[in-house]
Every structure is written in structure tokens, then in C-alpha cells.
Amino acid sequence: MKNRVIVTGGAGYIGSHTAVELAQSGYTPVLLDNFSNSTPAALDGLREILGFEPEFEQVDCADKSALFAAMEHIASRGTVEGIIHFAAFKAVGESTQEPLKYYANNVASTVHLLEAAAHFNLTEFVFSSSCTVYGQPEHIPVDEEAPIRRAESPYGYTKQACERILADFCASGYPMKAALLRYFNPIGAHPSSKIGELPLGHPNNLIPYLTQAAAGLRDPLTVFGNDYPTPDGTCIRDYIHVMDLARAHVAALQWLKNQPPTCEPFNLGTGQGNSVLEVIQAFERATGVAVPHAIGARRPGDVTAIFADATKAQNVLGWTSEKTLEEALLDAWNWQQALNN
Ligand code: WQD
């Protein structure tokens, strides 16, 4: 198999959608996952879309010896082009209650993967980072020059720490080429509705809760505060279709191939901000389905507004988002209905 690319967290939300884009761009995804925040069923849908059985290793990337064993196994089957590292815990609220779980998993997995990359002479590394590294930005839209401010949560700090670990490793003499992809708010699902966001338990993020409330599976959506200094009082975010985000990972891999050793951040957003109420209205327009909701208290740690200046990804990677908020919300709703059936 040619152009094999390791995808850690490959059974997860962004990882599985990126595996689809990789396959459609001539790469062969090699999935690593320990199902700590996904299920084997996620691979069923991915298998259907890919049309072949993807290489898969069930492994915890934070377990160094298990990771090296899996990497030996992968290397024995042929060469590897690079690594895309998604595997991490990502619930902001949970991270404040269980910080050690987040540091042990998110930071250790990145360190062990870089140790493995050096051992197996891999020099291309795409890291799943987040706009959360900016904290509450002073100016929006936020570009990659914006200061890295105090993280609002241990989750956010693990992203800052991993970016720093990558920067130090890339400057250490090992010829590593890394892209730090800072996602804004990924939403939606593959148009086939065979894969999507599988929140296990109570959803932390807006869209999975919204679609479950619209489906009558949950209590009405609580809008976390409408007294923010924004036009309608609710928080503003940059919601980007997960398929646009997946495409950016392929663009980053292609870009890294021709680079000298580097460690480069890229904001991946639409460049447009929408409030929570605007998202609810867009969902109702796109689907014709009402979202039962009520205004509630603010959620600690939420920033008032953040959305991307994504011109660097456009100028350097030749990538821009293409899908609209309505398309993403309709794909999210179709996925929710597929899950219900
Ligand atoms: C979005 C908006 C909430 C739920 C976090 C991480 C980021 C990334 C995405 C992992 C906010 C409001 C939400 C609800 C609501 N992490 N909301 N009612 O907090 O912007 O970003 O998740 O991938 O790194 O920081 O995303 O979806 O939780 O919230 O009103 O029931 O929706 O207040 O304004 P967030 P979110």
C-alpha cells in the first residue's frame, strides 16, 4: 500500500473524517485508536465509505511500549509517510475535574509519538490543536500571530504544552516538519451519514446537544448565557464543517512534504463568527426542525467571542473552507437521524 499515513484517534470524530479525505487523495490511512472515546462501530461506517478494510491497531498512544510495538508492526508492513495525531481527551469541563487524566493522556501520547517518529525516522507530523490555545483573544478575527494567553482549562493547556513540545523537538536538530492545526469549532458529519460525531454520554459541545434536543432525546438546549457583550448577547464562535477541516489535513501533509524542518501553526476556521442563537436559527432554517431551547446561566470558562483569520492557511496551504453553516447543520441533523434509526 502506498503513501501510508498514521492517523492516531482514527476511530474518532475528526480522525475518521480525515481518513476519508486521505483515502480520496491517494493516501492510505493507518488507524490507531484505543476506543477510549469512540467505539468499533465507528469503523463500520468508515469501512463502508472507504470501500476497503483500513489498517487498524488498537493501541493506547500514552502507553509507550504498546505504541512502539504497534509501530514495529506497522513498519513491518511497509513505509510510512507521516503521522496525523488526533488522539486526545477534549472535554473542557471534564479536564477541570480530572486534570491529571488530561496531562497523562494528551501530553504523554504526544511525547511518545515523537519518540516513535524519531525511532522510525518519520519526519512529517500534523498535530490536532485548537483555537483554545489563544484563550480570550484581545482582537478578533484571530490570526496565528495572536499571543498565546493563559489557557482557560487543563484541556487548553495540554494543547499549548503539546505545541511547545513539538516546537522544541523541531528545533532540537531532528529534521521534523510539523504543522499545528488550530481548529475552531468543528461541526457536521460526512454527507453519507455513515460517520459523524459520536458523543458518548452527555454531549459537551453545542451541536451534538442541539441535534439530540431537536430529536427529542434530551431536555431543551440550554443557551449558556445571553448577557455577553455581543449583538444578541450569546457567545460567538467559528463553526467549520468537519469535511473542510479534514481536507485541510491533506493540504498540510502535502505542504510539509516540500518543507525544510519547521513547526508551523495554522488557524482552521471559516473566518465567520456566529452566535449560539444564530446557530439555532440556521439549524431551523436548514432542517425545518425546531430546537427546543431556553436561556440559562453562563458556562464558566467560555470566551465571549472568537473566530478565525484563516488567510495564512489559504495563502500557504492553498486551503479555504467551502461549506456553509447551514450545510454543516443539515449534515449534523442527517447524522443524528441515522443514529436514531
Ligand atoms: C460552543 C458555544 C457555549 C453547549 C470547545 C473547545 C475547543 C473544541 C470545541 C474540542 C459556546 C455554547 C454549548 C450547550 C451552549 N474542543 N453552548 N449550550 O467551548 O467553543 O470549544 O469545544 O474539539 O477546543 O474549547 O465549544 O460546542 O462547547 O460551545 O450554549 O449546551 O455553544 O457556551 O458559546 P467551545 P462548545
Side-chain angles (χ1 to χ4, degrees), residues 32-188:
L32 276 61
D33 208 298
N34 66 348
F35 296 124
S36 63
N37 195 24
S38 60
T39 65
L43 294 178
D44 296 342
L46 181 55
R47 209 174 277 122
E48 276 187 64
I49 299 170
L50 292 176
F52 62 86
E53 181 64 43
E55 285 184 65
F56 178 77
E57 297 281 343
Q58 182 162 347
V59 65
D60 175 359
C61 294
D63 175 342
K64 183 172 177 176
S65 57
L67 175 65
F68 269 68
M71 293 290 284
E72 288 288 356
H73 195 201
I74 291 165
S76 71
R77 296 198 295 261
T79 57
V80 171
E81 291 283 315
I83 298 175
I84 305 181
H85 179 34
F86 294 102
F89 296 142
K90 61 159 204 141
V92 171
E94 182 190 46
S95 77
T96 53
Q97 287 137 25
E98 298 186 76
L100 301 184
K101 173 181 169 183
Y102 275 67
Y103 292 129
N105 184 59
N106 294 9
V107 178
S109 61
T110 302
V111 171
H112 295 331
L113 268 166
L114 289 171
E115 290 170 323
H119 180 78
F120 291 94
N121 301 314
L122 302 180
T123 57
E124 291 168 27
F125 196 100
V126 176
F127 177 63
S128 169
S129 190
S130 167
C131 64
T132 202
V133 302
Y134 296 114
Q136 170 65 62
E138 273 172 26
H139 308 290
I140 47 175
V142 64
D143 66 19
E144 292 83 352
E145 301 311 310
I148 301 298
R149 298 158 63 96
R150 177 178 166 72
E152 300 282 336
S153 67
Y155 157 77
Y157 184 64
T158 65
K159 291 302 182 184
Q160 292 180 347
C162 289
E163 288 200 357
R164 176 61 194 268
I165 288 164
L166 272 152
D168 289 348
F169 186 57
C170 292
S172 68
Y174 182 79
M176 179 58 86
K177 306 183 284 185
L180 313 176
L181 304 187
R182 294 172 179 167
Y183 310 159
F184 282 68
N185 287 62
I187 63 167

Side-chain angles (χ1 to χ4, degrees), residues 186-211:
I187 63 167
H190 189 267
S192 68
S193 299
K194 294 180 187 309
I195 54 174
E197 192 168 5
L198 258 180
L200 304 177
H202 186 283
N204 295 292
N205 293 120
L206 174 64
I207 301 309
Y209 195 100
L210 184 153
T211 58

Side-chain angles (χ1 to χ4, degrees), residues 5-23:
V5 173
I6 288 173
V7 180
T8 75
Y13 177 37
I14 320 287
S16 58
H17 288 77
T18 300
V20 172
E21 280 300 321
L22 284 168

